[in-house]
Amino acid sequence: MMSTYTVSLHEASEDDLRLFAEWWNDRRIATGVRKDVEPLPVEENVERFRIWCHEESDSGFGYAIRNAEGLTVGCVSAWGIADPERDASLSLMVGPYYQDHGYGSQALTMALHKLADMQVRTITVRVAAFNLRARHMFEERGFREVGRNKQAIERNTKRFDIVTLQAGAEDAVQALWQDNPYDDSVQLIPRRNIFRVE
């Protein structure tokens, strides 16, 4: 079996948690994902990520994202899954040195498949309105705006909204595929070359 993924999901180690804690205070990360960009105590951040990057359970999962070289490049977590609603919240963070390599996109694809396998009905993410890269990545996978927390974030004396995006889990997975214009014997092909080839 061959894989075209360049990332994989792993249980977060103590070193990973400490790395995530440092990234959480990095302004390049904090600006896009936190309401307040002021540094927080590292030990508090470690405990925060210990909760977020828990092992898989019926209510969610949390993983370190590793690239093909084995370097930790980010984390992805889902939580809040409970019967009968089967709704999940999802978050994704890619480290400051590892952005623009497709790692987040691939990890999101893997997380969406995992959530669909867990029979989640809907997936919700919250993104700063100015974080266009993240919004596009989610919208490309079928997420649509369902709400806004008006002027919830301040950056350089300007106020910005937090946008709530939502998609059905099956719809988000289906959005990863397109009709095959090249071969009538194969109906669907990936929209991008980020899928496992078997």
Side-chain angles (χ1 to χ4, degrees):
M1 177 177 12
M2 184 179 130
S3 173
T4 57
Y5 283 114
T6 61
V7 299
S8 53
L9 304 181
H10 297 269
E11 181 179 340
S13 69
E14 285 298 315
D15 288 341
D16 292 334
L17 298 177
R18 194 152 290 283
L19 181 62
F20 302 154
E22 291 172 17
W23 287 348
W24 199 243
N25 281 339
D26 187 306
R27 287 188 87 77
R28 294 168 290 183
I29 297 295
T31 296
V33 298
R34 290 181 33 203
K35 285 186 178 182
D36 181 6
V37 296
E38 293 305 312
L40 300 169
V42 172
E43 290 308 316
E44 284 181 23
N45 287 346
V46 168
E47 290 310 310
R48 180 175 283 113
F49 281 97
R50 189 179 314 283
I51 293 167
W52 292 343
C53 291
H54 60 81
E55 292 183 36
E56 189 170 327
S57 69
D58 290 341
S59 64
F61 57 80
Y63 293 107
I65 304 165
R66 295 212 174 99
N67 68 8
E69 290 77 38
L71 298 173
T72 298
V73 299
C75 64
V76 60
S77 61
W79 66 95
I81 304 167
D83 291 328
E85 296 85 11
R86 303 300 296 165
D87 299 330
S89 292
L90 179 70
S91 70
L92 175 69
M93 178 178 73
V94 175
Y97 309 112
Y98 302 109
Q99 296 180 3
D100 297 322
H101 297 286
Y103 297 145
S105 181
Q106 290 182 42
L108 176 58
T109 296
M110 296 170 91
L112 293 176
H113 280 283
K114 186 172 283 295
L115 288 168
D117 290 346
M118 294 173 75
Q119 298 179 351
V120 165
R121 285 189 334 164
T122 59
I123 305 166
T124 303
V125 296
R126 289 171 182 79
V127 181
F130 59 79
N131 192 343
L132 300 180
R133 180 187 330 183
R135 289 175 61 186
H136 175 73
M137 181 175 69
F138 287 110
E139 288 168 354
E140 184 177 59
R141 286 159 175 80
F143 283 77
R144 297 293 170 250
E145 183 175 330
V146 294
R148 280 180 178 252
N149 187 351
K150 297 282 188 186
Q151 300 184 358
I153 301 175
E154 183 176 329
R155 297 290 184 267
N156 301 323
T157 70
K158 294 181 181 174
R159 309 277 318 165
F160 297 93
D161 298 348
I162 294 177
V163 179
T164 301
L165 302 168
Q166 196 171 67
E170 288 296 328
D171 295 337
V173 168
Q174 193 61 35
L176 301 169
W177 300 89
Q178 66 184 8
D179 290 330
N180 185 353
Y182 310 109
D183 183 353
D184 290 338
S185 67
V186 180
Q187 290 185 324
L188 297 173
I189 59 173
R191 288 196 185 277
R192 292 186 172 180
N193 189 22
I194 57 173
F195 297 92
R196 205 170 272 124
V197 177
E198 300 181 89

